[in-house]
Amino acid sequence: MADPQRRANGGEQLSATGRFALTGRILAVNILPLLVLGGGLFYLDSYRTQLINERFKLARIEAQITAEALAGATRQRQEALLVQIGKEQRMRLRMFDAEGRLTADSFALADPAFRFNDISDDDWEQRFARWLDRTVDTIVAAEPVQDYVEPEAQEADAWPELARARELGLSQVRLYDWSDGTPVITAAAPVGLQGATLLTVRNAVDITESVRAARSTLFFAMLMVMAASALLSLFLARTIVTPLRLLARAAVRVRQGREREVEVPRLPQRSDEIGLLARAVSDMTGALRQRIDAVDSFAADVAHEIKNPLASLRNAIDTLPRVDDPALRQELIGIAAHDVRRIDRLVTEISAASRVDAEISRATLERVDLASLFANLISSRDDRGMNGGRQLVLDAAPGAHRVMGVPTQLERVAENLIDNAVSFSPEHGTVNITIRRAGAQIITEVCDEGPGIAPERREDVFRRFHSDRPEGESFGNHSGLGLAIGRAIAEAHDGTLTAEARADGAPGACLRLALPAAA
């Protein structure tokens, strides 16, 4: 069961549906694809790795080709080749002899072909690019790369790749990382057969610049699109959530019993589903108010109608002990018995009237032939002598007269219509019952030969506890609920019950029951 405190505070929080607010769901649905797009930032890391692997192969090949060109060349020729290749390929090339001593350096022989970036001079864009690189590396758990530092000793053994190349006689490639985040690729290769070695160093800034440019562009584009999507999502959520909250607050106040203080917004300017919902809730609230008014009015009518026979019964009982005359005592007992029967009749009819909607909503509709229903009812009343000398004549047009409904309720309508016609018809009069099909409806008319109903009072006869009865009828024999119950049952079956004058112009009234014909 729900927490009473939460029920008192309006039930569930109005801003949430399920676990997350509707606004949050809209934002998530719109931003999630952008986050997937942001995964491209991590794809670029894979792209960077592929580029570095390609440069590894290239560095190995370059070192091997350069070593072959240097082998057997004179020292002067070797130095010229080192300077030429260094400038063309933007590399630093160094030669070491068999003892591991530095014999030639392209940066010492000529101007350096490249310079490492000094990060102290970087602007905010470059600092942001390095931060983004570190963030991506942290998220993808990239393996750390050793920082590139020029060894103090200019000897071959100070470079691990050179030492290994001298040991194995095979070219070696190694990756370092400069302080600005750019990769530094070194390659060591044997030169000739005398133990000399070559070391090449390349700062592959083009790889970093390419990846950073794409990554920064994608990042800022994603931020801009995400901001625009968030604003549009908030606007969309506002157009949905705000009216829903207004409707929810109004519904809570109606539930808390302050419906008279609430004007449920109908949002006439909206033609979408929210507008339809608002108007449906407003109409539902109006129907609820009418139902409450009807219940209040019904309760007042019931109290009034029961109060009269109760007062009469009390007077009879209070007077009875003080009366010695047997005839008067018998009369008082008769009054009390009459009042008891009247109260019993009222309670029975009131109970029936209050259960009409509930019983029909729970019942299973069946095909009911109205001609057969009225014929059986007429026969039963004749057998029991309930018509007081009036003749009931049934005139059903050829064909089926079936409707979908609850048989017991339709029988109650028929019984009430006949009771009413019999009570208003003169003794030995005729009650005519005609049944016919008119389009998609089955029309049943019950006409009496009584005084008829004035046009301005034809709706009054369907009011509960309507008290106009035929002259000479004993007071209290009818509750005044029969036609009111009949109309309620007719409307519950999507039909109507109205009072009209006789079509032939003769004195009397006709009650017209129209119900949808069964398919």
Side-chain angles (χ1 to χ4, degrees):
M1 295 181 64
D3 184 357
Q5 182 62 33
R6 294 178 66 187
R7 291 174 61 90
N9 292 333
E12 299 292 338
Q13 293 183 358
L14 299 179
S15 62
T17 54
R19 181 176 297 179
F20 301 104
L22 184 58
T23 301
R25 293 185 178 190
I26 294 176
L27 284 172
V29 168
N30 284 278
I31 292 178
L32 183 61
L34 297 177
L35 295 178
V36 174
L37 176 63
L41 294 172
F42 309 112
Y43 169 77
L44 290 176
D45 183 74
S46 175
Y47 172 65
R48 174 176 177 272
T49 302
Q50 293 176 4
L51 289 179
I52 291 176
N53 291 336
E54 292 296 326
R55 290 298 177 87
F56 263 43
K57 297 177 183 178
L58 179 61
R60 188 186 301 275
I61 293 173
E62 286 178 337
Q64 291 173 349
I65 293 174
T66 302
E68 290 177 2
L70 294 173
T74 64
R75 183 178 180 84
Q76 184 178 4
R77 177 60 180 165
Q78 288 178 342
E79 291 178 351
L81 285 173
L82 292 176
V83 172
Q84 180 183 359
I85 294 173
K87 288 183 177 180
E88 291 178 353
Q89 301 299 323
R90 299 181 59 81
M91 292 191 301
R92 183 176 185 178
L93 295 91
R94 280 174 275 203
M95 283 279 295
F96 296 85
D97 60 16
E99 285 74 26
R101 295 187 297 268
L102 179 67
T103 60
D105 184 349
S106 64
F107 275 24
L109 297 172
D111 292 335
F114 68 90
R115 294 184 185 277
F116 287 108
N117 178 46
D118 184 0
I119 62 174
S120 62
D121 298 331
D122 286 350
D123 56 19
W124 72 269
E125 291 182 342
Q126 292 170 317
R127 291 195 295 271
F128 172 76
R130 289 199 302 274
W131 172 83
L132 190 59
D133 288 343
R134 291 193 298 270
T135 301
V136 173
D137 289 343
T138 302
I139 294 176
V140 301
E143 295 184 4
V145 179
Q146 181 179 346
D147 292 338
Y148 178 81
V149 179
E150 283 284 342
E152 295 182 1
Q154 293 294 325
E155 297 178 355
D157 290 341
W159 300 88
E161 55 270 42
L162 268 175
R164 190 166 180 78
R166 286 162 56 86
E167 178 185 353
L168 300 178
L170 299 173
S171 58
Q172 301 292 319
V173 183
R174 190 180 178 102
L175 175 66
Y176 294 94
D177 185 31
W178 184 241
S179 58
D180 66 349
T182 57
V184 178
I185 301 174
T186 63
V191 179
L193 301 176
Q194 303 303 318
T197 52
L198 170 70
L199 177 68
T200 66
V201 179
R202 182 195 298 272
N203 184 203
V205 295
D206 58 323
I207 293 178
T208 301
E209 290 174 351
S210 175
V211 172
R212 282 180 177 175
R215 184 176 285 166
S216 298
T217 301
L218 180 60
F219 181 78
F220 285 111
M222 186 185 71
L223 285 182
M224 293 177 62
V225 175
M226 186 176 295
S229 178
L231 291 175
L232 292 175
S233 298
L234 290 173
F235 171 75
L236 176 62
R238 182 181 180 86
T239 61
I240 295 176
V241 174
T242 299
L244 287 180
R245 285 178 175 172
L246 290 175
L247 293 174
R249 291 191 187 103
V252 168
R253 294 183 66 189
V254 170
R255 182 187 62 79
Q256 290 175 340
R258 295 193 293 269
E259 73 284 347
R260 287 298 180 188
E261 304 173 15
V262 181
E263 187 65 34
V264 179
R266 294 184 63 83
L267 305 180
Q269 72 280 8
R270 299 190 62 150
S271 58
D272 56 5
E273 289 80 358
I274 298 296
L276 294 175
L277 175 62
R279 290 184 283 278
V281 172
S282 179
D283 292 340
M284 180 186 67
T285 303
L288 177 61
R289 289 171 177 168
Q290 292 178 359
R291 179 61 62 88
I292 293 174
D293 290 342
V295 170
D296 292 343
S297 176
F298 185 67
D301 291 342
V302 168
H304 175 73
E305 291 298 322
I306 292 183
K307 184 177 181 180
N308 291 335
L310 280 177
S312 175
L313 178 60
R314 183 183 61 187
N315 289 335
I317 293 175
D318 289 344
T319 305
L320 191 61
R322 299 192 298 270
V323 175
D324 296 327
D325 185 357
L328 185 55
R329 287 177 61 86
Q330 192 63 36
E331 182 179 351
L332 290 174
I333 292 173
I335 292 174
H338 179 272
D339 289 336
V340 169
R341 288 193 299 270
R342 183 181 173 192
I343 292 173
D344 179 68
R345 186 181 303 108
L346 278 171
V347 171
T348 301
E349 294 294 335
I350 289 169
S351 175
S354 63
R355 293 198 309 266
V356 169
D357 289 338
E359 289 183 356
I360 292 178
S361 65
R362 292 193 299 264
T364 301
L365 300 184
E366 303 176 17
R367 290 178 178 270
V368 179
D369 190 300
L370 292 183
S372 299
L373 186 149
F374 273 91
N376 293 335
L377 189 57
I378 291 171
S379 176
S380 174
R381 291 177 64 92
D382 287 339
D383 292 342
R384 290 180 292 168
M386 297 178 60
N387 299 324
R390 286 82 169 175
Q391 183 179 6
L392 304 183
V393 178
L394 176 62
D395 180 13
H401 304 88
R402 297 187 182 92
V403 298
M404 296 299 297
V406 182
T408 56
Q409 296 292 343
L410 293 178
E411 183 177 353
R412 179 183 293 274
V413 177
E415 183 78 41
N416 290 348
L417 293 180
I418 294 176
D419 268 343
N420 183 80
V422 167
S423 66
F424 280 96
S425 291
E427 191 175 356
H428 306 300
T430 301
V431 175
N432 295 291
I433 303 170
T434 60
I435 303 176
R436 56 186 172 83
R437 185 182 183 114
Q441 290 186 319
I442 303 298
I443 307 298
T444 303
E445 292 182 341
V446 180
C447 301
D448 60 50
E449 295 179 345
I453 307 172
E456 67 275 8
R457 304 196 64 179
R458 287 174 183 165
E459 279 299 307
D460 293 343
V461 299
F462 297 102
R463 287 191 295 105
R464 291 186 300 269
F465 307 112
H466 183 66
S467 59
D468 284 352
R469 302 305 307 166
E471 294 182 6
E473 182 179 275
S474 300
F475 178 76
N477 288 335
H478 290 83
S479 65
L481 287 171
L483 294 184
I485 294 174
R487 172 169 278 188
I489 294 174
E491 291 176 349
H493 284 79
D494 297 324
T496 59
L497 179 60
T498 57
E500 301 174 0
R502 291 178 60 114
D504 56 8
C510 279
L511 295 176
R512 187 175 185 268
L513 173 67
L515 296 173

